[in-house]
Amino acid sequence: MSEKKICLASDNWSGAHPLVIKAITEANESYAPPYGSDPWTEEAVSLIQKAFKRECRVFIVTTGTGANIFGLRICSKPYESVICTDIAHIEYQESGAFEALVGCKLLTVPNKEGKVTPDELVKKLKKERAFGKHSTSPGVLSITQPTEIGTVYTLDELKALAKLCKEENLRIHMDGCRLYNAAVSLDTSLEEIVKAASVDILSLGGTKNGLAGAEALIIFDPDLEKGADHLQKQMLQLVSKMRYLSAQYIPFFKNDLWQTLARKANQKAQEIASIIKSIPELSLSYPVETNQIFFIAPKAWIPLIQEKIICYPWDAEKNEIRFIASWNTTDEDVEKVFSIFSEISKNQITI
Amino acid sequence: MSEKKICLASDNWSGAHPLVIKAITEANESYAPPYGSDPWTEEAVSLIQKAFKRECRVFIVTTGTGANIFGLRICSKPYESVICTDIAHIEYQESGAFEALVGCKLLTVPNKEGKVTPDELVKKLKKERAFGKHSTSPGVLSITQPTEIGTVYTLDELKALAKLCKEENLRIHMDGCRLYNAAVSLDTSLEEIVKAASVDILSLGGTKNGLAGAEALIIFDPDLEKGADHLQKQMLQLVSKMRYLSAQYIPFFKNDLWQTLARKANQKAQEIASIIKSIPELSLSYPVETNQIFFIAPKAWIPLIQEKIICYPWDAEKNEIRFIASWNTTDEDVEKVFSIFSEISKNQITI
Amino acid sequence: MSEKKICLASDNWSGAHPLVIKAITEANESYAPPYGSDPWTEEAVSLIQKAFKRECRVFIVTTGTGANIFGLRICSKPYESVICTDIAHIEYQESGAFEALVGCKLLTVPNKEGKVTPDELVKKLKKERAFGKHSTSPGVLSITQPTEIGTVYTLDELKALAKLCKEENLRIHMDGCRLYNAAVSLDTSLEEIVKAASVDILSLGGTKNGLAGAEALIIFDPDLEKGADHLQKQMLQLVSKMRYLSAQYIPFFKNDLWQTLARKANQKAQEIASIIKSIPELSLSYPVETNQIFFIAPKAWIPLIQEKIICYPWDAEKNEIRFIASWNTTDEDVEKVFSIFSEISKNQITI
Amino acid sequence: MSEKKICLASDNWSGAHPLVIKAITEANESYAPPYGSDPWTEEAVSLIQKAFKRECRVFIVTTGTGANIFGLRICSKPYESVICTDIAHIEYQESGAFEALVGCKLLTVPNKEGKVTPDELVKKLKKERAFGKHSTSPGVLSITQPTEIGTVYTLDELKALAKLCKEENLRIHMDGCRLYNAAVSLDTSLEEIVKAASVDILSLGGTKNGLAGAEALIIFDPDLEKGADHLQKQMLQLVSKMRYLSAQYIPFFKNDLWQTLARKANQKAQEIASIIKSIPELSLSYPVETNQIFFIAPKAWIPLIQEKIICYPWDAEKNEIRFIASWNTTDEDVEKVFSIFSEISKNQITI
């Protein structure tokens, strides 16, 4: 009898929360205005605005990459560059969409545990500005919260970056495709995070935290709003039957379902991280602060792990594996992780 | 008591067919590989390939504009231009996405009842080629079937264009966001249409014919496949939880639901067109061949019509109104159209 | 003995004025700062500013297309479109550079004797704005003075367009690759033309009026200056040994050489136009207001003309030929045109 | 009496060789076909083809950045990336032109003494290909010969890179803005260098080695020629009075003037490098292989050097200065460098 593998591959392997599917089903009334003029979009936008406790422009969009590119197109000028880390999604995992669609240069700084540090930022600014008009004019800092390796900027770290950006005249874009997990990790609100970072424009996730497929782009700086509605269409983010995307956000924000789901994912990641810490042959690559876990295993273990657990080897040369817990990771899944590792440990003489 | 208006605004105001919503719901299993490696996408792709009865690459994408831009990005080279009519969606209704994302020039020819004619095409080619390297090199013809005003290229018309394009070394893109309605109108298969037109790359709709939100891009010319998977990501058309889009296509293609729905929409449009023809004050702008109806009404009628029927005034100066029938337009709707017009006719002395 | 043909092909077939070559030669001192920090550029910029009698930013650039694209890149935003005539150089003769490098949509209006009319502009604005965010937001009007067919906007026509543009919130770009010929034709200054048109950004020629190869881009609206120096580099218009371009402008502006040269070209065009008018078989296509002459000849004459005069057939189907007089067109050239036409007329029975 | 400073700022501060100015003057005949159909361009192209001893397409263009961007636009596809070093001109000194005009991603590898090494290239390919369609497809390697810091790839190093590129299916672009200095340094021909590197497309300099302002783009791979003439116009590199650019190349290639000039520049750089080596307080940053010299000086020396010698501080934090010798650097200049350094050394107690 073949036993079903458990899945720690990614939070985008997970299905949608039943309330989200219910919301889609209920949005299936006969007629509704297209392109975001429907009542579901109105309600979703209003709920998101309430979550951020201030005036802002909210656009419901199709994908995280879509939100990033649409957002960066809005906030960068043709002569400017955007700064991010060397492992930023926009740099490394969006197949050149930034350069192709925004048309600016992306400057990268080495990440420190996934983060941009003020020192590296200052160094990069100095370098890019050294030759004046012969190089670009840095215009935007794009940070990912939580980072691509699951670490979380503290509010103080965000404030320090925001202060520096203000001094250096940089706008701030935040890639918050898992912002919910950061908020839970910091035990704070979504609002506090964007306030600390003085975010001008935010890519807000959804899909990775239990939606079926919906993301949002939020403009906090009103100076950036001009033309944004045209750009939503131009950047391929204007969906005709938008209600089926927007409806998903309604249960998600109505009873802080986003918090429940993100808390669950983070909690399960902590439990798995504890197991890993308890096994001498394994070592965590980074502190586990949200729902992502990177760890090094003995080379011989890797196929054995993959036999039982759907997951991605991350840095093959370092024998690094990535686990991502999800809103629907179960206690049973965690227990199985423990038994799988114990079993391997028992049977293997590590190399 | 306020009576509910009937809606003939557009087929993208309509909800999704219940089987489509059911398919979304059923796709909500625990885990599935993201980015199109899931079994629903596999099945949808296979059903679409069967419908076209030949080898082709199928990509499930987010919007019609997304499909068009992704497709044209694939099939046009940097020194080339793309030719379409002056009312093509890519020219007039995509907020400059083509120029911004594909980066080529769009050349327009005057439409004849919505269509590109061989004569106009030849004329445009001659003009653009007259100054050699100082102008662009026309590389692609993009045609919309059915056209933006609901007319349908006959198979012979398509063959004539295909022949000309072959002689002139143009690739052919078809915007088929309502291709189903054309197939029903011509009483032919999807396959016959793309064969007649020697289509190299097709934007295939779905959303306007009863899906909740899913479109497809199909590459028929294998020479165009290289790099297309990267471009799907780059052009923001790669959805992580793709199963919720792909699943919609399964019932749609399984029992030719697409045909049932398109036939219904076309049929209702015919019935409404008959009513319009029967009323002396109204006149159809174009032959009604699919589910779109454009007609001229006395100026004073327009607010009265809009009071009872959700619809768009099209060319305000010409007092033109557009109706679009949909898969869920009912017999009752048609009857109401008749009573509304009769009522207005009775009460009005037309100007 | 083969007699040398006379050349009325284009003003870019003509060599440079001897003073211009002298200026290049004299600029060949040992060392000078590159990229425009040299004294020749300083002087050229200052002379140009004086000619326009006001504060403005002047960039010396490489080509007319370079000036246009650099200028339009500066003054158009990503969600905007630029409006020009259907025969504008940027639309028809720059091989898609606008779309490829600026990335916006170019909207064309039918020209009336080469010009944009307020009526056509209003019509186009109305059409493009009819569908809101689904189309682009028109942001710039680009006019060519003199037009591509050699006609000249009067100061009143320019004022009317400027007024309309202000009301409609459009910025104004002027393609002035032959602006000198317009100034002479209107018997006014360069300054008066840009003032009448409220030009925000100007492509100013040089090459077609006796320079060896140098053009300028002038920003009159200070709000457009930000980042323009970076964009000069990015748009490939920043030449390292700029002195050899800038030096050409010094004699050109110092003693109003530009005026002498343009006056000569216009004068010779008038003389040739008079000849054409005097020959019953020939007819001018447009009023001859600068140095361009378009005329219709009997079909059989065309090869005979081309045998003696280097020139371009313009619209082959209409048997239209274009002559362009230049700063170095001579009295002898004009006399020869007369004899050639007389000879043909005598020998031919026109069809 | 103020003594004139000597200039070692850059080879683009130098004037043009007298023969080059003479050629410009002689090209100033009355009329010539524009856009490269003139006899000077024909001759220049033919001379360049002879220098490379094979069939190739030669385009005369305006600037080095223009050649690079035009060339990379030709040889990269929309889904591809281009790899270069972290100090490549296209990466660091072209104000984002590559991203803005080519629209692809530029991937950088850490340079080793200015060069791409096979190891770093392999590492980068592995990384970029690790996530398949989510990242770009590396398509082109762009190398600079000599490098931005004046070092020279040996023919064996070039062959090794060429072999690797062939295996990895990468096309090769060479930025040869100072290729002449590399040829002289390697005591080889231009042809041998491009052969060793299997160059597909070459940016060939001119301006930095004694021209007044002209560069070339050479296509060696015939598959890349299609549409290149349109792209020359589109990428703003098609000059109307091209003869004044092309003419400069005629004396330059006719008697191997390029070699004489580059040899002179390299020789003077060697002499200056010897002086630097002889002064204990100074140290060269890199081997001096062409006409560029980077060296570290005591902090207190820097203003003293700049008082007498026009030059750029390079890396301010490292107290690094750059000297570039030129075709017109004289024996007297070299002697003065010696006296200036000796004087400073005598008067200073270094920190």
Side-chain angles (χ1 to χ4, degrees):
Chain A
M1 193 198 85
S2 123
E3 199 190 359
K4 209 181 157 194
K5 280 191 192 187
I6 61 174
C7 177
L8 294 167
S10 178
D11 34 15
N12 61 27
W13 283 60
S14 296
H17 189 275
L19 286 175
V20 167
I21 296 295
K22 188 161 170 271
I24 292 174
T25 308
E26 289 173 358
N28 196 36
E29 288 182 13
S30 54
Y31 294 102
Y35 301 117
S37 302
D38 61 277
W40 295 270
T41 302
E42 197 183 344
E43 186 173 356
V45 165
S46 162
L47 286 165
I48 291 173
Q49 285 168 332
K50 262 175 218 156
F52 287 97
K53 292 180 190 150
R54 54 168 157 150
E55 293 281 310
C56 56
R57 231 4 237 288
V58 179
F59 300 88
I60 307 299
V61 302
T62 62
T63 68
T65 297
N68 285 338
I69 298 304
F70 174 31
L72 290 167
R73 174 93 168 157
I74 287 173
C75 72
S76 51
K77 305 207 179 82
Y79 53 87
E80 291 183 342
S81 48
V82 173
I83 304 178
C84 63
T85 71
D86 51 347
I87 58 165
H89 204 261
I90 54 172
E91 161 67 15
Y92 186 33
Q93 300 275 293
E94 301 190 350
S95 218
F98 178 80
E99 288 82 359
L101 276 58
V102 179
C104 292
K105 179 173 269 297
L106 210 44
L107 302 174
T108 60
V109 294
N111 76 88
K112 197 179 158 194
E113 294 208 333
K115 302 175 193 175
V116 173
T117 64
D119 278 1
E120 290 291 348
L121 179 54
V122 165
K123 216 166 121 186
K124 179 57 76 177
L125 288 173
K126 204 166 177 178
K127 192 186 164 205
E128 190 71 8
R129 289 171 179 163
F131 293 89
K133 66 186 172 186
H134 297 281
S135 306
T136 63
S137 173
V140 180
L141 174 68
S142 176
I143 53 179
T144 311
Q145 170 78 323
T147 72
E148 281 76 9
I149 53 170
T151 53
V152 178
Y153 288 92
T154 64
L155 295 184
D156 281 345
E157 285 171 336
L158 293 176
K159 281 172 194 164
L161 282 173
K163 188 167 168 287
L164 180 56
C165 285
K166 197 172 179 186
E167 287 160 13
E168 299 291 349
N169 208 20
L170 300 178
R171 290 173 293 286
I172 299 182
H173 166 255
M174 182 176 275
D175 179 347
C177 73
R178 290 187 181 99
L179 192 66
Y180 313 104
N181 303 82
V184 162
S185 173
L186 291 171
D187 195 18
T188 189
S189 63
L190 300 174
E191 178 219 359
E192 286 300 323
I193 294 176
V194 304
K195 217 172 82 184
S198 294
V199 171
D200 293 301
I201 196 159
L202 170 71
S203 301
L204 179 68
T207 312
K208 289 183 199 299
N209 193 29
L211 301 193
E215 308 277 315
L217 193 270
I218 310 181
I219 304 178
F220 293 108
D221 177 354
D223 289 350
L224 298 176
E225 288 183 19
K226 202 162 176 218
D229 48 349
H230 292 272
L231 290 177
Q232 184 181 18
K233 179 87 182 192
Q234 186 186 91
M235 291 289 112
L236 315 178
Q237 299 309 305
L238 186 64
V239 168
S240 63
K241 297 189 178 173
M242 199 184 284
R243 51 173 148 163
Y244 298 106
L245 272 64
S246 304
Q248 301 176 41
Y249 272 116
I250 297 174
F252 192 65
F253 270 100
K254 230 172 192 169
N255 302 298
D256 290 342
L257 177 62
W258 65 263
Q259 206 175 53
T260 312
L261 300 182
R263 186 166 289 141
K264 174 83 173 301
N266 284 12
Q267 175 59 29
K268 293 301 142 196
Q270 283 303 333
E271 294 170 16
I272 294 168
S274 296
I275 294 169
I276 290 171
K277 277 191 242 171
S278 74
I279 296 178
E281 294 93 339
L282 304 179
S283 64
L284 291 172
S285 303
Y286 311 106
V288 174
E289 296 174 359
T290 52
N291 62 328
Q292 301 199 53
I293 305 147
F294 294 77
F295 65 99
I296 312 288
K299 196 183 176 65
W301 286 38
I302 290 174
L304 305 174
I305 294 170
Q306 291 196 279
E307 203 176 285
K308 307 276 187 176
I309 304 173
I310 305 173
C311 64
Y312 289 108
W314 205 247
D315 186 331
E317 286 181 24
K318 286 167 52 189
N319 300 323
E320 190 177 40
I321 282 181
R322 188 190 73 174
F323 281 173
I324 300 189
S326 174
W327 70 272
N328 62 353
T329 301
T330 60
D331 289 349
E332 203 193 345
D333 290 338
V334 176
E335 281 159 29
K336 275 195 196 164
V337 170
F338 180 74
S339 356
I340 291 162
F341 282 147
S342 304
E343 176 97 355
I344 296 175
S345 182
K346 209 170 59 188
N347 293 341
Q348 279 286 317
I349 295 156
T350 63
I351 302 157
Chain B
M1 194 197 84
S2 124
E3 200 190 359
K4 212 181 152 195
K5 282 189 189 187
I6 62 173
C7 178
L8 294 167
S10 178
D11 35 15
N12 60 27
W13 282 60
S14 296
H17 189 273
L19 285 175
V20 168
I21 296 293
K22 186 159 170 272
I24 292 175
T25 307
E26 288 173 359
N28 197 36
E29 288 183 14
S30 54
Y31 295 101
Y35 301 116
S37 303
D38 62 276
W40 295 270
T41 302
E42 198 184 343
E43 187 173 357
V45 165
S46 161
L47 286 165
I48 291 173
Q49 286 168 331
K50 262 174 219 157
F52 287 98
K53 291 180 191 152
R54 53 168 156 149
E55 292 283 310
C56 56
R57 240 344 249 288
V58 179
F59 300 88
I60 306 299
V61 301
T62 62
T63 68
T65 297
N68 284 338
I69 299 302
F70 173 31
L72 291 167
R73 173 94 167 157
I74 287 172
C75 71
S76 52
K77 304 208 179 81
Y79 52 88
E80 292 182 344
S81 48
V82 172
I83 303 179
C84 62
T85 71
D86 51 349
I87 58 164
H89 204 262
I90 54 171
E91 162 66 14
Y92 186 33
Q93 301 275 293
E94 301 190 350
S95 216
F98 178 80
E99 288 82 358
L101 276 58
V102 179
C104 292
K105 179 175 269 299
L106 210 45
L107 302 173
T108 61
V109 294
N111 76 87
K112 200 181 157 192
E113 295 208 329
K115 302 176 192 176
V116 173
T117 64
D119 278 1
E120 290 290 348
L121 180 54
V122 164
K123 216 166 122 186
K124 178 59 75 176
L125 289 173
K126 204 167 179 179
K127 192 186 163 205
E128 189 69 9
R129 289 171 179 162
F131 293 89
K133 64 185 174 187
H134 298 280
S135 306
T136 64
S137 173
V140 179
L141 174 69
S142 175
I143 52 179
T144 309
Q145 171 78 323
T147 71
E148 282 75 10
I149 53 169
T151 53
V152 178
Y153 288 92
T154 65
L155 293 184
D156 281 345
E157 284 171 336
L158 294 175
K159 281 174 194 161
L161 281 174
K163 186 166 169 288
L164 179 56
C165 286
K166 197 173 179 184
E167 287 160 14
E168 298 290 349
N169 207 19
L170 301 178
R171 290 173 292 288
I172 299 182
H173 166 255
M174 182 176 277
D175 179 347
C177 73
R178 290 188 181 96
L179 192 65
Y180 313 104
N181 303 82
V184 163
S185 173
L186 292 171
D187 196 18
T188 188
S189 62
L190 301 174
E191 179 219 358
E192 285 302 323
I193 295 175
V194 304
K195 218 172 81 182
S198 294
V199 172
D200 293 300
I201 195 158
L202 170 71
S203 301
L204 179 67
T207 313
K208 290 183 200 299
N209 193 29
L211 301 193
E215 307 277 314
L217 193 271
I218 310 182
I219 304 177
F220 293 109
D221 176 353
D223 289 348
L224 298 176
E225 289 184 19
K226 202 165 176 215
D229 48 350
H230 292 270
L231 290 176
Q232 184 181 19
K233 179 87 183 192
Q234 185 186 93
M235 291 289 111
L236 314 178
Q237 299 308 307
L238 186 64
V239 167
S240 62
K241 296 188 179 175
M242 200 183 282
R243 51 172 146 161
Y244 298 106
L245 272 66
S246 305
Q248 302 175 40
Y249 272 116
I250 298 174
F252 192 66
F253 270 100
K254 231 171 190 171
N255 301 299
D256 291 342
L257 177 63
W258 65 263
Q259 208 174 53
T260 311
L261 300 182
R263 185 166 290 140
K264 173 82 171 304
N266 284 11
Q267 176 57 31
K268 294 300 143 195
Q270 283 303 334
E271 294 169 17
I272 294 168
S274 297
I275 294 169
I276 290 171
K277 276 190 245 174
S278 74
I279 297 178
E281 294 93 339
L282 304 179
S283 65
L284 291 172
S285 304
Y286 312 106
V288 173
E289 297 175 359
T290 52
N291 60 330
Q292 301 199 56
I293 305 145
F294 294 77
F295 65 100
I296 311 287
K299 194 182 177 64
W301 285 39
I302 291 176
L304 304 173
I305 294 171
Q306 290 196 280
E307 203 177 286
K308 306 277 187 176
I309 303 173
I310 306 173
C311 65
Y312 291 108
W314 204 247
D315 187 329
E317 288 180 24
K318 287 166 53 187
N319 300 323
E320 189 177 43
I321 283 182
R322 187 190 73 175
F323 282 173
I324 301 189
S326 175
W327 69 271
N328 61 354
T329 301
T330 61
D331 289 351
E332 203 194 346
D333 291 337
V334 176
E335 282 158 28
K336 277 193 193 164
V337 169
F338 180 74
S339 355
I340 292 162
F341 282 146
S342 305
E343 177 96 355
I344 296 174
S345 183
K346 208 171 57 187
N347 294 339
Q348 278 287 315
I349 296 156
T350 63
I351 304 161
Chain C
M1 196 197 83
S2 122
E3 198 191 359
K4 210 181 155 194
K5 281 187 191 188
I6 61 174
C7 178
L8 294 167
S10 178
D11 35 16
N12 62 27
W13 282 60
S14 295
H17 189 274
L19 286 175
V20 168
I21 296 294
K22 188 162 169 269
I24 292 175
T25 307
E26 288 172 0
N28 197 35
E29 287 184 11
S30 53
Y31 294 102
Y35 300 117
S37 303
D38 62 275
W40 295 270
T41 302
E42 197 183 344
E43 188 174 356
V45 165
S46 162
L47 286 165
I48 292 172
Q49 285 168 332
K50 263 174 217 155
F52 287 98
K53 292 181 190 148
R54 54 166 156 151
E55 293 282 310
C56 57
R57 236 353 245 288
V58 178
F59 300 88
I60 307 299
V61 302
T62 62
T63 68
T65 297
N68 284 338
I69 298 304
F70 173 31
L72 291 167
R73 173 93 168 157
I74 286 172
C75 71
S76 52
K77 303 208 179 82
Y79 52 88
E80 292 182 343
S81 48
V82 172
I83 303 178
C84 63
T85 70
D86 52 347
I87 59 165
H89 204 261
I90 53 172
E91 162 66 14
Y92 186 33
Q93 300 275 294
E94 301 190 350
S95 217
F98 177 81
E99 288 82 359
L101 276 59
V102 178
C104 292
K105 177 174 270 297
L106 212 44
L107 301 174
T108 61
V109 294
N111 76 88
K112 197 180 157 194
E113 295 209 332
K115 303 175 194 176
V116 173
T117 63
D119 278 2
E120 290 290 350
L121 180 54
V122 164
K123 214 165 123 188
K124 179 57 76 175
L125 289 173
K126 203 167 179 178
K127 192 186 164 206
E128 189 70 9
R129 289 172 179 161
F131 293 89
K133 65 186 175 185
H134 298 281
S135 306
T136 63
S137 173
V140 180
L141 173 69
S142 176
I143 53 179
T144 310
Q145 170 78 323
T147 72
E148 281 75 9
I149 54 170
T151 53
V152 177
Y153 288 93
T154 64
L155 294 184
D156 281 346
E157 284 171 337
L158 293 175
K159 282 174 194 163
L161 281 174
K163 186 168 170 287
L164 179 57
C165 285
K166 197 172 178 186
E167 287 160 13
E168 298 291 349
N169 207 19
L170 300 178
R171 288 173 293 286
I172 299 181
H173 167 255
M174 182 176 276
D175 179 347
C177 74
R178 291 187 181 97
L179 192 66
Y180 313 104
N181 303 82
V184 162
S185 173
L186 293 171
D187 196 18
T188 188
S189 63
L190 301 174
E191 179 218 359
E192 285 301 322
I193 295 175
V194 304
K195 219 172 80 183
S198 294
V199 172
D200 294 300
I201 196 159
L202 171 71
S203 300
L204 179 68
T207 311
K208 289 183 198 302
N209 193 29
L211 301 194
E215 306 277 314
L217 193 271
I218 310 181
I219 304 177
F220 293 109
D221 176 354
D223 289 349
L224 297 177
E225 289 184 17
K226 202 163 176 216
D229 49 349
H230 291 272
L231 290 177
Q232 184 180 19
K233 178 88 182 191
Q234 186 186 90
M235 291 290 111
L236 314 178
Q237 298 308 306
L238 185 64
V239 168
S240 64
K241 296 188 179 175
M242 200 184 282
R243 52 173 148 164
Y244 297 107
L245 273 66
S246 305
Q248 302 176 39
Y249 273 116
I250 297 174
F252 192 66
F253 270 100
K254 230 172 191 169
N255 302 298
D256 289 342
L257 177 61
W258 65 263
Q259 207 174 54
T260 311
L261 300 181
R263 185 166 290 141
K264 173 81 172 304
N266 284 11
Q267 176 58 31
K268 293 299 142 196
Q270 283 303 333
E271 295 170 15
I272 295 168
S274 296
I275 294 169
I276 291 172
K277 277 190 242 172
S278 74
I279 297 178
E281 293 92 338
L282 304 179
S283 64
L284 291 173
S285 304
Y286 313 105
V288 173
E289 297 175 356
T290 53
N291 62 329
Q292 302 199 54
I293 306 145
F294 294 77
F295 65 100
I296 311 287
K299 195 183 175 64
W301 286 37
I302 290 175
L304 304 173
I305 294 170
Q306 291 196 281
E307 203 175 287
K308 307 276 188 176
I309 303 172
I310 306 172
C311 63
Y312 291 107
W314 204 248
D315 187 330
E317 287 181 23
K318 286 166 52 187
N319 300 321
E320 189 177 41
I321 282 182
R322 187 191 73 175
F323 281 174
I324 301 189
S326 174
W327 69 271
N328 61 353
T329 301
T330 61
D331 289 350
E332 205 193 345
D333 290 338
V334 176
E335 282 158 29
K336 277 195 194 164
V337 170
F338 180 76
S339 355
I340 291 163
F341 282 147
S342 305
E343 177 97 357
I344 296 175
S345 182
K346 210 171 58 188
N347 293 340
Q348 278 287 317
I349 295 155
T350 63
I351 303 158
Chain D
M1 194 197 85
S2 120
E3 200 191 357
K4 212 183 153 194
K5 280 189 191 186
I6 61 174
C7 178
L8 294 168
S10 178
D11 35 14
N12 61 27
W13 282 59
S14 295
H17 189 273
L19 286 174
V20 168
I21 296 294
K22 188 161 170 269
I24 292 174
T25 307
E26 289 172 359
N28 197 35
E29 288 182 14
S30 54
Y31 294 102
Y35 300 116
S37 303
D38 61 276
W40 295 271
T41 301
E42 196 183 346
E43 188 174 356
V45 165
S46 161
L47 286 166
I48 292 173
Q49 286 167 332
K50 263 174 218 156
F52 287 98
K53 292 180 190 149
R54 53 168 157 146
E55 293 281 311
C56 55
R57 237 351 244 291
V58 179
F59 300 87
I60 307 299
V61 301
T62 62
T63 68
T65 298
N68 284 338
I69 298 303
F70 173 32
L72 291 167
R73 175 93 168 156
I74 287 172
C75 71
S76 51
K77 304 205 180 82
Y79 53 87
E80 291 182 343
S81 48
V82 173
I83 303 179
C84 63
T85 71
D86 50 349
I87 58 166
H89 204 262
I90 53 171
E91 161 67 13
Y92 186 34
Q93 301 275 291
E94 301 189 351
S95 217
F98 177 81
E99 287 83 358
L101 276 59
V102 180
C104 292
K105 179 174 269 298
L106 210 45
L107 301 173
T108 60
V109 294
N111 76 88
K112 199 180 157 192
E113 294 207 330
K115 302 174 192 175
V116 173
T117 63
D119 278 1
E120 290 291 348
L121 180 54
V122 165
K123 216 165 121 185
K124 178 58 76 177
L125 289 173
K126 203 167 179 178
K127 191 185 164 207
E128 190 69 9
R129 289 170 179 162
F131 292 88
K133 65 185 172 185
H134 298 280
S135 307
T136 64
S137 173
V140 179
L141 175 68
S142 176
I143 53 179
T144 311
Q145 171 78 323
T147 71
E148 281 76 8
I149 53 170
T151 54
V152 177
Y153 289 92
T154 65
L155 295 183
D156 281 346
E157 285 172 336
L158 293 175
K159 282 173 192 161
L161 282 173
K163 186 167 170 287
L164 179 55
C165 285
K166 197 171 180 186
E167 287 161 12
E168 299 289 350
N169 207 20
L170 301 178
R171 290 174 292 287
I172 299 182
H173 166 256
M174 183 175 276
D175 179 347
C177 73
R178 291 187 181 97
L179 192 66
Y180 313 105
N181 303 83
V184 163
S185 173
L186 291 171
D187 197 19
T188 189
S189 62
L190 300 174
E191 178 219 359
E192 285 301 323
I193 294 175
V194 306
K195 218 172 80 184
S198 296
V199 171
D200 294 300
I201 195 159
L202 171 70
S203 301
L204 179 68
T207 312
K208 290 182 199 298
N209 192 29
L211 301 192
E215 308 276 315
L217 193 270
I218 310 181
I219 304 178
F220 293 108
D221 176 355
D223 290 349
L224 298 177
E225 288 182 20
K226 201 163 178 217
D229 48 350
H230 292 271
L231 290 177
Q232 184 181 18
K233 178 89 182 190
Q234 186 187 90
M235 291 288 112
L236 314 178
Q237 298 308 306
L238 186 64
V239 168
S240 63
K241 296 189 178 174
M242 200 184 282
R243 50 173 148 163
Y244 298 107
L245 272 65
S246 304
Q248 302 175 40
Y249 273 116
I250 298 174
F252 192 67
F253 270 100
K254 229 170 191 172
N255 302 298
D256 290 341
L257 178 62
W258 65 262
Q259 208 174 52
T260 311
L261 300 181
R263 187 166 288 140
K264 173 82 172 303
N266 283 12
Q267 176 57 31
K268 293 300 143 195
Q270 283 304 332
E271 293 170 16
I272 294 168
S274 296
I275 294 169
I276 290 171
K277 277 191 241 171
S278 73
I279 297 177
E281 293 92 339
L282 304 178
S283 64
L284 292 171
S285 304
Y286 312 105
V288 173
E289 296 174 358
T290 53
N291 61 330
Q292 301 198 55
I293 305 146
F294 294 78
F295 65 99
I296 311 286
K299 195 182 177 63
W301 286 39
I302 291 175
L304 304 173
I305 294 170
Q306 291 196 279
E307 203 176 285
K308 306 277 187 177
I309 304 172
I310 306 172
C311 64
Y312 290 108
W314 204 246
D315 187 330
E317 287 180 23
K318 286 166 53 186
N319 301 321
E320 191 177 42
I321 282 182
R322 186 189 75 175
F323 281 174
I324 301 189
S326 174
W327 70 270
N328 61 354
T329 302
T330 61
D331 289 350
E332 204 193 345
D333 290 338
V334 175
E335 282 158 29
K336 275 194 196 165
V337 169
F338 180 74
S339 355
I340 290 162
F341 282 146
S342 304
E343 177 96 356
I344 297 174
S345 182
K346 208 170 60 186
N347 293 340
Q348 278 286 316
I349 296 156
T350 61
I351 302 160

